Structures are given as C-alpha cells and as structure tokens.
Amino acid sequence: MNVLLMAYGTPYAPEEVEPYYTDIRRGRRPSEELLKELAERYEAIGKSPLNEITLAQAVRLQALLNLEAPPYPKRLLGPFPPRAPHGPARVYVGTKHWHPSIGEAVAAMHEDGVRRAVAIVAAPHYSLRSVAEYREKVDSALKALPEPIDFVWVESYEAHPGLIAAYARRLEEVIWRLKNPGKAAYVFTAHSIPVAAVEKGDPYPRQVEKTAELIAKRLALPRFHVAYQSAGRTPEPWLGPDINELLRTLKEEGYEEVAVQAVGFPADHLEVFYDLDLEAQATARELGLRLLRARSLNADLDYIQVLKDLVEAAWPR
Ligand code: FEC
C-alpha cells in the first residue's frame, strides 16, 4: 500500500520566506511590504511547526498501516510487529508550497516503483482553493513521468466519525475550563477562501458547517458559530465572518467567554499560532472577552487512525 500524504508546507528558515511566498502567489514575487509583514508574523511565533508535524503524521500513519489490526495474533511466533494483511505500506510526504514538494514526492514514488497510491491532504474540507490545487500539482508532476501512477483520491472527510470524536474530545477539554459553559459562545473556524470560489459552487463552506454541526451535536452544545480566519492579503472579497469581526458581534450580544476550535486545520502552524493565539486573542482581550482555544489534532493517534481508515477504505482491492 502506498500513500501520498500532503500538507501546506512552511519555510525552514527566514531566508526561505520569500521563495515560499512567491510560490503561494503562483510565481509573483510579493512586494517588500507584504514580505516584511509575513516575516514579522513568523518572527512573532518563533517558528511554524507544520513541517515537523506533517512528518510525524506520515511516520505514525506508516507505522499504523503496517500493524495488523487488533485483535493481534494470540501467539507472537511470526514476524514482530505483526504484519498488516495488505503488505508493507509506504507513506510519502509532499507539501503544496515548500519542500519536499508534491512534484518531488511523486518523482520519488515513481523511482521506488510505485504505480498506484492513495492521495490524501491533511485538511478535512474540499475547496477549489485547497484540495483542487493539490490535485493540479499531482497531475502536473505525473505529466513528467514515463509511466503513470494511478492515484485514488480522498477528497474530503469533513464528517468522518473519528474526526468528529477527536475534535469533540479537545473541545471538551476547553468546556471543562469555562466558567459558565451554558452561557459561552462556541466558534469553529476554517481558513477563509475568496468569495469568487464559493460563487463557482465550492462545497467548502457547506463542509465546514457540517463538521461544526456534528461536533456541536456530539457535545450537545446549546449553540455554535462558524467563522473564517487568515483571509489573504488581496483586494478581492474573502469568505466571512472573520473571527475578529465575529468576536465583536459576540461581545455586543453579551457573551463573556468564547471557546474557539480551528476545525479547518488539523495541525498547529502560523495561522493557528499567529491568527488565533496572538491576533484573535488580542481582539478578545481588547473587548474584555475570555477566549480559550481547543488544542489541535497534530500527530495524535486518534487523528492518525482517521487517516488510516480513509486510506484503507480508498485502497483499491
Ligand atoms: O505555518 C505555515 O507556515 C503555513 C500556514 C498555512 C496554512 C494554510 C492553509 C490554507 N490556506 C488556504 C488558502 C489560501 C489562499 C491564499 C493563501 C495564502 C497564504 C499565505 C500564507 C499562508 N496562506 Fe493559506 N495557509 C498558510 C499560510 N492561503 C503565509 C500568503 C500570505 C497571506 O495571504 O496571508 C491566497 C493565495 C493567493 O495569493 O493566491 C487562497 C486554505 C488552507 C487550508 C487547507 C490546507 O491546509 O491546505 C484553504 C496551513
């Protein structure tokens, strides 16, 4: 079994911010002002842990896929650890905007003799501005190969019961810390996308709502809100409400405590540590709101088990 696990990617060092940002902008170099602003955001969080988390996810997913599903054999006479019935699994990492790039990963897979594989992004919601773009990068890498690799895609998993349970578990930890859970606001966030994509029929906002609704239902929350964060620095309109704008509305409505969960991102990175933990937290402080954020899934085994389920269900038999 072969897997291409993809994530956004982040620069490893400050001097890599410029080419990374240029790649995000499809080859257009950012202005000095935009570059300075992004570099300052990285500086403010110290470092984005996204590459390390993606690698840890891949290593753990590979280990889980190679273990025979419980119940294990009664006697440990055979090879140890017990072998999965579908044979040795290999998980390759490809990042959308940095290294290893999706192109580098696909080329390495081909060189290793891989001819079929499952492609999955470490982000649960499909968007024309996310998963569709990962797919374009895989397709363009395939064009450079002498023989094709047959990829089966997991395009979204916004309602996977294991994902909902994993998110609910972490939100529950926040609920325990609220002074008055019955009167708090519960806000689920995802990365914003340009409104133009939504007008083209992007299922993204519907899928984000679905995840939020299922977590809320599982925890019997009295109410919940969906907000978008990290809108791009471009003049076009981006999907809202923005989290900071929603915090202002919540304050006006009389809320004192807000529980926030970033359901669009399984991992911690710039958009979580800066946009939520610094920026939204500062807005909340200024408004006199108490904001608590649920911790991320990262490479925790409950999330890796979700990836394993999805990959095994997609693997052609
Ligand atoms: O920790 C890190 O260094 C990387 C954090 C990071 C993640 C991420 C995820 C998503 N993005 C999505 C959409 C867009 C669109 C644009 C865009 C731009 C940026 C910029 C940075 C950035 N994104 Fe991102 N995104 C992360 C970081 N993103 C930095 C450039 C500066 C800025 O605008 O803030 C606009 C691109 C353009 O100009 O054309 C659209 C979506 C996701 C969630 C799915 C995924 O993880 O792939 C959607 C993590």
Side-chain angles (χ1 to χ4, degrees):
M1 175 181 286
N2 309 296
V3 180
L4 173 58
L5 176 68
M6 289 165 283
Y8 208 80
T10 187
Y12 293 93
E15 61 275 17
E16 296 177 353
V17 174
E18 183 186 327
Y20 168 76
Y21 201 173
T22 304
D23 191 77
I24 292 177
R25 293 166 49 88
R26 295 186 170 81
R28 283 177 300 120
R29 212 183 153 271
S31 65
E32 284 307 320
E33 194 191 342
L34 281 175
L35 187 59
K36 183 166 171 281
E37 193 246 356
L38 182 58
E40 280 170 3
R41 279 192 274 149
Y42 281 113
E43 181 66 32
I45 64 162
K47 174 185 185 296
S48 166
L50 183 57
N51 291 332
E52 285 77 3
I53 292 169
T54 305
L55 183 63
Q57 288 170 339
V59 168
R60 289 189 174 174
L61 176 59
Q62 181 167 296
L64 269 198
L65 287 169
N66 281 323
L67 269 185
E68 192 177 5
Y72 297 111
K74 287 208 172 61
R75 290 190 294 163
L76 294 175
L77 294 177
F80 190 80
R83 283 280 165 192
H86 40 65
R90 277 178 298 184
V91 178
Y92 296 79
V93 169
T95 70
K96 193 176 175 204
H97 294 299
W98 206 231
H99 300 286
S101 67
I102 289 173
E104 288 161 351
V106 171
M109 293 172 90
H110 183 267
E111 214 175 294
D112 288 354
V114 172
R115 294 298 174 266
R116 45 178 205 163
V118 176
I120 185 164
V121 180
H125 309 104
Y126 180 91
S127 168
L128 296 171
R129 295 308 305 270
S130 66
V131 178
E133 293 178 350
Y134 284 87
R135 201 165 180 156
E136 276 167 30
K137 292 206 174 214
V138 170
D139 290 347
S140 97
L142 284 174
K143 286 196 189 115
L145 301 178
E147 304 103 35
I149 300 175
D150 186 9
F151 279 105
V152 183
W153 277 81
V154 176
E155 289 205 322
S156 66
Y157 42 99
E158 73 282 3
H160 187 288
L163 181 82
I164 302 304
Y167 275 136
R169 215 169 283 134
R170 285 156 186 77
L171 185 55
E172 196 177 22
E173 294 169 0
V174 166
I175 296 174
W176 294 333
R177 294 169 52 213
L178 290 170
K179 292 182 196 162
N180 198 341
K183 290 201 170 152
Y186 296 90
V187 180
F188 299 100
T189 71
H191 199 294
S192 183
I193 56 166
V195 170
V198 183
E199 286 167 356
K200 280 188 201 144
D202 199 320
Y204 184 75
R206 238 184 11 256
Q207 293 189 357
V208 172
E209 285 277 346
K210 185 78 198 167
T211 305
E213 183 194 311
L214 291 173
I215 301 168
K217 193 167 162 203
R218 193 179 168 100
L219 291 173
L221 300 182
R223 71 199 75 81
F224 72 92
H225 298 81
V226 169
Y228 291 90
Q229 57 166 98
S230 321
R233 274 71 179 160
T234 63
E236 62 198 318
W238 287 69
L239 185 61
D242 176 78
I243 174 75
N244 298 284
E245 187 188 310
L246 180 68
L247 290 175
R248 287 193 180 89
T249 311
L250 293 174
K251 177 67 187 180
E252 277 164 25
E253 288 173 1
Y255 287 99
E256 290 176 2
E257 289 186 305
V258 187
V260 173
Q261 183 161 48
V263 292
F265 313 120
D268 285 324
H269 45 64
L270 180 72
E271 317 294 64
V272 175
F273 287 167
Y274 189 90
D275 296 358
L276 292 180
D277 291 353
L278 295 181
E279 207 174 60
Q281 196 57 261
T283 305
R285 248 196 322 275
E286 174 199 313
L287 294 167
L289 279 172
R290 181 166 182 249
L291 186 159
L292 300 176
R293 176 178 70 79
R295 68 189 170 90
S296 303
L297 305 178
N298 291 327
D300 291 357
L301 282 178
D302 51 359
Y303 177 53
I304 305 303
Q305 185 65 49
V306 171
L307 295 177
K308 174 182 187 266
D309 272 9
L310 293 161
V311 164
E312 286 185 339
W315 182 247
R317 297 195 186 266

